Amino acid sequence: MSEDVLLLGAVAYDPKIVTIWDGFKEYFIEHGLPFDYILFTNYERQVQAHLDGQIHVAWNSPLAWLQTARLAQASGRTANALVMRDTDCDLISTVIARREGSIRAVSDLKGKRVAVGAKDSPQATLIPLQVLAAQGLDPDRDFEVVSFDVLVGKHGDHIGGEREAALALMHHDVDAACLIEGNYRLFEQDGTITPGTTFRLLETPPYDHCNFTVLDGVAADRIGRFTELLLAMSYDDPKVRGLLDLEGLKQWVPARTKGYRLLADAVERFPR
């Protein structure tokens, strides 16, 4: 790995990823930071590559952040979260049910079927199941978990599994479905869910999503410049506005880690 080029890892969950990182690469180089990126097919491979020193920085899902931090700690190293999107903060997932069905309270899910996204999706599986368990309903004991394992390894960064869960609810194949709030609204807009036919049975506490992760040992000046350039990106700049839109943010913000507690609890309860 070149000592001159800051090398980032990202997971290719959608073709737009190439457009996004090609654009950001040009931005960083124009501002004096030699930069390149490597795409991975799944987060587990990216986490291992990061620990092996094949990349300097990783654009991580929340689950990949936890994996990296825990594996680093186990080997006497330190992982730090650098930057996240403004849209990565204070997200909420929801469990929805049909208005005309028999489900009116969380307790009514006992003995029922609940659809979730991919088994490694923080927002559509791990976190909502953790919240249901905290309310006294043990998944796969008190209710049947129906998983839609679309693109496992990408940690739910796509919407395929959630869309399948929503369709299963619409088709009366399940009694409830777990979705991130943003996708719930999207599915009502695009017709996946018929507006007015469902309601929010439960909302999770807020949690945080992706971040740029760095391990100890990378030159502080390069990491500092990378962080500085990210935080300096302006939505008013036409050169980066389209890239920010594709990545789903208006502004990069300093990362925080307190928003991963709920997911950490879920990982402890549901070890993979």
Side-chain angles (χ1 to χ4, degrees):
M1 182 167 59
S2 172
E3 294 300 322
D4 298 324
V5 177
L6 186 70
L7 193 57
L8 177 134
V11 169
Y13 67 87
D14 188 279
K16 69 180 181 180
I17 294 302
V18 175
T19 301
I20 291 169
W21 286 108
D22 276 352
F24 285 156
K25 175 181 176 179
E26 181 179 347
Y27 171 86
F28 289 129
I29 292 173
E30 284 182 354
H31 287 79
L33 177 67
F35 178 89
D36 207 347
Y37 67 95
I38 296 176
L39 295 182
F40 295 88
T41 60
N42 61 77
Y43 279 107
E44 281 68 32
R45 190 171 296 279
Q46 176 171 290
V47 168
Q48 190 58 55
H50 198 181
L51 292 165
D52 290 344
Q54 296 173 23
I55 55 175
H56 298 111
V57 182
W59 180 225
N60 272 335
S61 75
L63 184 57
W65 153 254
L66 289 179
Q67 291 169 340
T68 302
R70 290 180 176 185
L71 289 170
Q73 183 179 34
S75 61
R77 303 184 67 189
T78 302
N80 288 301
L82 296 173
V83 175
M84 57 180 33
R85 299 168 296 193
D86 52 358
T87 49
D88 283 313
C89 302
D90 298 321
L91 301 179
I92 291 174
S93 291
T94 185
V95 181
I96 63 171
R98 293 185 302 275
R99 289 191 181 276
E100 86 284 4
S102 62
I103 307 299
R104 290 293 174 267
V106 170
S107 58
D108 294 332
L109 292 176
K110 193 163 187 177
K112 303 298 185 180
R113 307 182 81 224
V114 178
V116 299
K119 62 184 178 183
D120 59 2
S121 171
Q123 60 269 15
T125 303
L126 294 168
I127 287 174
L129 290 183
Q130 163 65 16
V131 174
L132 285 170
Q135 296 202 15
L137 287 178
D138 190 3
D140 286 327
R141 187 188 71 182
D142 294 324
F143 61 89
E144 180 184 354
V145 177
V146 181
S147 297
F148 290 92
D149 284 330
V150 178
L151 298 178
V152 172
K154 293 179 169 58
H155 296 184
D157 278 357
H158 49 87
I159 64 174
E162 290 181 63
R163 190 182 297 279
E164 292 299 317
L167 288 171
L169 181 65
M170 289 292 94
H171 295 158
H172 295 240
D173 295 329
V174 298
D175 302 287
C178 301
L179 309 170
I180 195 169
E181 177 64 25
N183 282 342
Y184 182 32
R185 295 194 300 268
L186 172 65
F187 295 159
E188 285 196 320
Q189 293 169 4
D190 69 13
T192 300
I193 295 173
T194 304
T197 63
T198 61
F199 70 100
R200 294 170 178 82
L201 179 67
L202 175 147
E203 290 185 349
T204 71
Y207 56 87
D208 290 348
H209 212 259
C210 299
N211 74 60
F212 288 105
T213 305
V214 65
L215 294 170
D216 50 8
V218 183
D221 57 341
R222 284 194 292 167
I223 292 300
R225 184 58 176 156
F226 173 71
T227 302
E228 178 184 28
L229 288 173
L230 283 170
L231 296 177
M233 286 185 183
S234 171
Y235 194 72
D236 294 330
D237 182 352
K239 289 186 177 181
V240 297
R241 183 184 304 137
L243 300 173
L244 298 179
D245 283 338
L246 284 174
E247 190 54 52
L249 72 150
K250 293 292 193 295
Q251 182 181 6
W252 297 105
V253 298
R256 62 189 189 184
T257 58
K258 66 178 184 178
Y260 299 118
R261 183 67 259 171
L262 190 59
L263 178 59
D265 290 343
V267 170
E268 291 177 8
R269 185 184 292 268
F270 309 117
R272 297 169 53 246

